[in-house]
């Protein structure tokens, strides 16, 4: 029992550190692109964009080097840099939230959040339940940790030639005390962030007259879907787990874009970039996301082209930036890695 509690606390502490790192990395990306993503409302979006940016960096790194502690340090440094750069806005947001606090609501939220995190950390310390994790997932992580992309690796197991980028993410966590144990961290972190995000909309479902009520209801509806799909795969490394979560996040961003009564130009550009970027990175995890990701990106780009009130130059820049994300993730590192892995 003591070992179980110690393992749960270790998982929770590491999740918290990783969440800060990916959040800070995402803030750095949004700042570089001059897209406003400040405030708790966009914390999950900064996390996912930071995670996706680390996947891009991982793919480039792995062309020449194994995924080891060096890259983990670089990603952690970028995340900390993002938090430091945005520290004033983060502190101001925390102070504003504290002034507007409702003690009963905060207590309820703290109890629910603690219960969810404890439950998922208990799942995370268990053994993998999916046979493919033992079949080739863990092997893919080990190869990525030990060597750069290996030409002809698919000759050992044909599925290793797919070069799913999610294995690089797990390999990045496969350092220090978590060596050979990253499956306890990788997918559980993504699941808990997504579930807590959708859970935050449940109390707002009672606000029937609110202008954003349809959007709140839709986000709350995503909660049981996310829970039912993820709770058995928390310790497995199946790529479908991540592409499913990316699909939910992209769908929520797309609906937010289409259903918001008044979308500012900044919101349109931010959501459109995130939809295209996450869809492109999701394709490097597993190509089965292609139909949904491509359709969502086309709808978002079309909506942005018609609704964004900025100049034609800004519209073209938005289109070029989003298209670059798609082409970059699909053609450069992914093609090289799949080509090498297939021999």
């Amino acid at each position: 029992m003591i070992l179980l509690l110690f393992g749960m606390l270790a998982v929770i502490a590491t999740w918290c550190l990783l969440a800060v790192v990916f959040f800070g990395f995402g803030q750095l990306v949004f700042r570089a692109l001059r897209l406003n993503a400040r405030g708790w409302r966009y914390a999950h979006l900064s996390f996912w964009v930071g995670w996706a940016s680390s996947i891009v960096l991982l793919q480039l790194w792995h062309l020449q080097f194994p995924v080891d502690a060096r890259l983990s340090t670089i990603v952690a440094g970028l995340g900390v840099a993002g938090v430091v750069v945005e520290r004033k806005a983060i502190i101001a947001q925390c102070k504003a939230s504290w002034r507007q606090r409702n003690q009963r609501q905060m207590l309820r939220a703290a109890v629910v959040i603690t219960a969810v995190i404890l439950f998922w950390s208990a799942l995370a310390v268990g053994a993998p339940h999916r046979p493919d994790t033992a079949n080739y997932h863990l092997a893919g992580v080990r190869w990525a940790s030990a060597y750069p992309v290996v030409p002809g690796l698919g000759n050992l197991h044909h599925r290793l030639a797919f070069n799913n980028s999610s294995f690089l993410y797990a390999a990045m966590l496969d350092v220090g005390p978590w060596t050979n144990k990253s499956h306890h961290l990788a997918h559980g972190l993504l699941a808990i962030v997504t579930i807590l995000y959708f859970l935050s909309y449940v109390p707002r479902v009672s606000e029937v007259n609110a202008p954003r009520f349809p959007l709140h209801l839709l986000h709350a509806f995503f909660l049981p879907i996310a829970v039912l799909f993820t709770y058995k795969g928390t310790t497995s490394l199946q790529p479908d787990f991540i592409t499913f979560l990316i699909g939910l996040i992209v769908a929520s961003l797309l609906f937010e874009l289409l259903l918001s009564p008044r979308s500012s130009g900044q919101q349109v550009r931010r959501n459109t970039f995130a939809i295209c970027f996450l869809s492109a990175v999701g394709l490097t995890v597993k190509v089965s996301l292609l139909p949904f990701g491509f359709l969502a990106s086309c709808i978002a780009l079309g909506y942005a082209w018609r609704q964004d009130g900025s100049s034609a130059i800004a519209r073209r820049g938005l289109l070029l930036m989003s298209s670059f994300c798609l082409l970059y993730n699909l053609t450069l590192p992914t093609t090289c890695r799949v080509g090498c892995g297939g021999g």
Side-chain angles (χ1 to χ4, degrees):
M1 188 66 177
I2 295 177
L3 291 177
L4 174 62
L5 292 175
F6 179 78
M8 291 169 59
L9 291 175
V11 167
I12 292 172
T14 310
W15 278 350
C16 291
L17 292 175
L18 291 172
V20 171
V21 166
F22 290 135
F23 168 79
F25 199 173
Q27 287 285 302
L28 206 61
V29 172
F30 279 121
R31 184 182 181 88
L33 296 175
R34 298 183 180 180
L35 295 173
N36 182 20
R38 295 173 177 171
W40 298 123
R41 179 181 172 186
Y42 306 112
H44 79 288
L45 188 55
S46 295
F47 170 88
W48 274 103
V49 168
W51 176 86
S53 300
S54 69
I55 292 294
V56 175
L57 188 58
L58 280 163
Q59 289 188 95
L60 287 174
W61 177 275
H62 194 231
L63 292 175
Q64 187 64 33
F65 307 103
V67 178
D68 50 22
R70 292 175 295 176
L71 186 58
S72 302
T73 304
I74 292 172
V75 172
L78 290 171
V80 171
V83 173
V84 171
V85 169
E86 295 291 339
R87 65 187 183 282
K88 293 183 179 179
I90 295 172
I91 293 173
Q93 184 67 31
C94 291
K95 289 181 178 179
S97 300
W98 181 255
R99 294 192 199 99
Q100 300 170 3
R101 71 189 186 279
N102 182 306
Q103 291 185 353
R104 288 187 177 181
Q105 290 182 354
M106 290 184 67
L107 181 60
R108 292 172 187 169
V111 170
V112 173
I113 291 172
T114 301
V116 171
I117 292 177
L118 286 174
F119 176 76
W120 240 262
S121 64
L123 294 177
V125 297
H129 296 288
R130 307 294 185 186
D132 279 346
T133 299
N135 191 16
Y136 74 99
H137 295 165
L138 291 175
V141 174
R142 301 296 179 268
W143 278 102
S145 300
Y147 305 98
V149 60
V150 178
L153 184 60
N155 294 320
L156 299 181
H157 193 299
H158 67 280
R159 292 188 178 182
L160 292 176
F162 296 161
N163 278 304
N164 307 95
S165 62
S166 58
F167 297 162
L168 303 181
Y169 160 60
M172 182 181 69
L173 307 182
D174 213 48
V175 296
W178 293 105
T179 300
N180 298 329
K181 300 181 183 70
S182 61
H183 57 281
H184 295 296
L185 299 173
H187 287 188
L189 172 64
L190 304 181
I192 201 70
V193 169
T194 305
I195 288 169
L196 290 178
Y197 168 64
F198 290 136
L199 183 63
S200 67
Y201 281 90
V202 173
R204 306 180 195 179
V205 173
S206 59
E207 303 171 0
V208 181
N209 297 322
R212 294 168 61 89
F213 171 74
L215 191 60
H216 296 165
L217 185 63
L218 189 65
H219 281 69
F221 176 74
F222 283 159
L223 174 63
I225 298 175
V227 171
L228 291 174
F229 186 86
T230 59
Y231 83 98
K232 284 188 176 180
T234 302
T235 55
S236 302
L237 295 176
Q238 55 185 26
D240 303 270
F241 185 101
I242 294 180
T243 55
F244 181 82
L245 293 178
I246 290 177
L248 286 180
I249 295 298
V250 168
S252 69
L253 291 171
L254 185 61
F255 282 119
E256 181 180 356
L257 198 63
L258 300 177
L259 297 180
S260 295
R262 294 179 182 178
S263 297
S264 64
Q266 184 71 216
Q267 180 182 353
V268 169
R269 290 189 291 273
R270 179 182 55 246
N271 281 29
T272 301
F273 164 74
I275 289 169
C276 294
F277 186 48
L278 291 177
S279 296
V281 171
L283 291 178
T284 70
V285 175
K286 193 166 185 179
V287 76
S288 59
L289 189 66
L290 177 60
F292 175 76
F294 179 75
L295 181 61
S297 300
C298 289
I299 293 174
L301 286 169
Y303 181 86
W305 190 273
R306 291 177 59 87
Q307 299 296 326
D308 189 5
S310 57
S311 65
I313 296 177
R315 293 181 183 180
R316 294 192 185 102
L318 171 69
L319 178 61
L320 290 173
M321 180 175 63
S322 302
S323 300
F324 172 77
C325 292
L326 289 169
L327 292 173
Y328 175 81
N329 280 280
L330 286 174
T331 59
L332 182 58
T334 303
T335 302
C336 291
R337 295 181 67 249
V338 172
C340 288

